Structure formats: C-alpha cells, structure tokens
Amino acid sequence: LEYNPATYENIKLQVPAALAKEIDYETNKDIIVPMFQSFNSLGFLKKLSYALKTIHYAPGDYIVYRGTIGDEMYFIVKGRVAVVAADKHTVLKRVEKGQYFGEAGFFVSKVRQFNVRAETYCYICCLQKSTLEKLKEKFATIKGKIDEISAQYEREPKENSTEESESEDDDTFDII
C-alpha cells in the first residue's frame, strides 16, 4: 500500500494508543533508521518515531528558509524537495523519498545557509531539537552518541559547502 496520511491518521484514531504508537514506529522506522542506525537502541528509535510530526507541503512551499536557526531536521516520507540558493532560483540539489535534510544545522544550531522548497506534494516527518534533547536525558547511552554527532558537525562544518557528495548512495545534503 502507498502511504496515505489521511487514512493513516484515521486508523490511528480508531485503535488503542499503544497500537497507534507501534503504527508510528513501523511507518517511520525506514526513514529514521539511516540517520540513527548506529545507536543500537530499539527503545530510543521507537520513542523517536512516536515524536515525529508529519507535515504536508504543496509544490512551491518553503520548508526551510535561509538565515533561520536549525532547530528541526526533516525526513522525506513522500515527495521531492529542492535545496535552493539565496536567489531562490538556483537548485543546488534535490532530496527525495527516504532521504533526510537539515541535520547539520540541527545538531549544531547553526544558521541555515540555503532554502529548501517542495517540488512535488510532500509528506515530511519533522524532528524538533527539543524532542531529541528530552530523549537524550532518558537514554544515557544515546546521549554520548548524539554529542559525538554534534561534535563531528562542529569540527567539520559543511554549512558553507555547495559540493554534493560523490557517493550516489548519499542520503543527506548536510549544508542545510
């Protein structure tokens, strides 16, 4: 079945809360695991999936604005977005289903260097930094790993780079 957020939300309203959370996890695990796969904590991944907010965007909608602080990161469930330069016309990269963006600014709370605009109808899961901070306190083993990721982005700032990764399997565009 293709993901349909309206159907998904209706189902969640009709089942017990515990089952609704399991539906959240099963629906979201494929998009969050690539970013957090090294954490090796099913409990953490489940809590994280429960906390994601699904947001719908129409073609042309801006998701990220240049100059804002990175306090959210995004996982694309369906659709395609374009990372665009300050002129709002030059497309630097496209990011699509199964990929994520915004993690560099998210982990180090930096000012975003580029805009991100929906090119198609998009269903995007959003992770707020405050949510991750709360989870860090509940999962002591995860706290160190998250701090390591943040330190890596601090040491190797990619926010000013417009180079795409040479790997075709790269799921990120970490200048956002």
Side-chain angles (χ1 to χ4, degrees):
L1 289 174
E2 188 171 326
Y3 176 75
N4 181 328
T7 302
Y8 168 74
E9 291 303 320
N10 279 336
I11 290 170
K12 281 180 42 180
L13 292 173
Q14 298 174 29
V15 299
L19 181 55
K21 287 182 177 185
E22 286 301 314
I23 291 170
D24 278 338
Y25 173 69
E26 289 299 324
T27 303
N28 295 329
K29 72 180 178 183
D30 290 339
I31 62 167
I32 61 172
V33 167
M35 179 68 202
F36 300 102
Q37 64 188 348
S38 67
F39 287 25
N40 296 324
S41 171
L42 181 60
F44 170 77
L45 291 174
K46 284 187 171 192
K47 294 278 187 185
L48 185 67
S49 71
Y50 306 158
L52 294 174
K53 268 179 31 181
T54 301
I55 306 171
H56 307 126
Y57 293 96
D61 286 352
Y62 279 84
I63 301 159
V64 170
Y65 290 93
R66 181 178 187 267
T68 59
I69 298 294
D71 58 356
E72 295 175 327
M73 98 177 257
Y74 304 88
F75 302 87
I76 302 176
V77 176
K78 184 176 182 179
R80 184 180 67 239
V81 302
V83 178
V84 294
D87 66 9
K88 294 188 177 181
H89 299 291
T90 306
V91 175
L92 303 171
K93 182 168 182 168
R94 288 183 170 82
V95 186
E96 52 195 36
K97 179 181 176 178
Q99 298 177 313
Y100 53 89
F101 62 93
E103 73 282 3
F106 175 82
F107 282 109
V108 294
S109 297
K110 296 245 179 180
V111 174
R112 302 212 189 255
Q113 300 297 309
F114 300 96
N115 300 295
V116 179
R117 180 180 62 225
E119 287 193 321
T120 63
Y121 286 99
C122 295
Y123 305 123
I124 296 178
C125 285
C126 173
L127 173 61
Q128 297 179 333
K129 187 167 187 128
S130 60
T131 299
L132 190 63
E133 292 299 319
K134 289 175 190 172
L135 287 174
K136 272 174 48 173
E137 300 310 315
K138 290 182 180 181
F139 293 88
T141 57
I142 300 305
K143 183 180 186 317
K145 292 181 181 189
I146 293 170
D147 291 344
E148 284 175 27
I149 292 172
S150 297
Q152 178 183 350
Y153 279 107
E154 280 289 341
R155 283 190 308 271
E156 302 171 16
K158 299 176 183 177
E159 288 77 21
N160 295 322
S161 168
T162 57
E163 296 295 319
E164 293 186 25
S165 170
E166 292 180 20
S167 167
E168 291 180 17
D169 295 328
D170 186 17
D171 288 339
T172 65
F173 192 57
D174 39 15
I175 59 173
I176 307 165

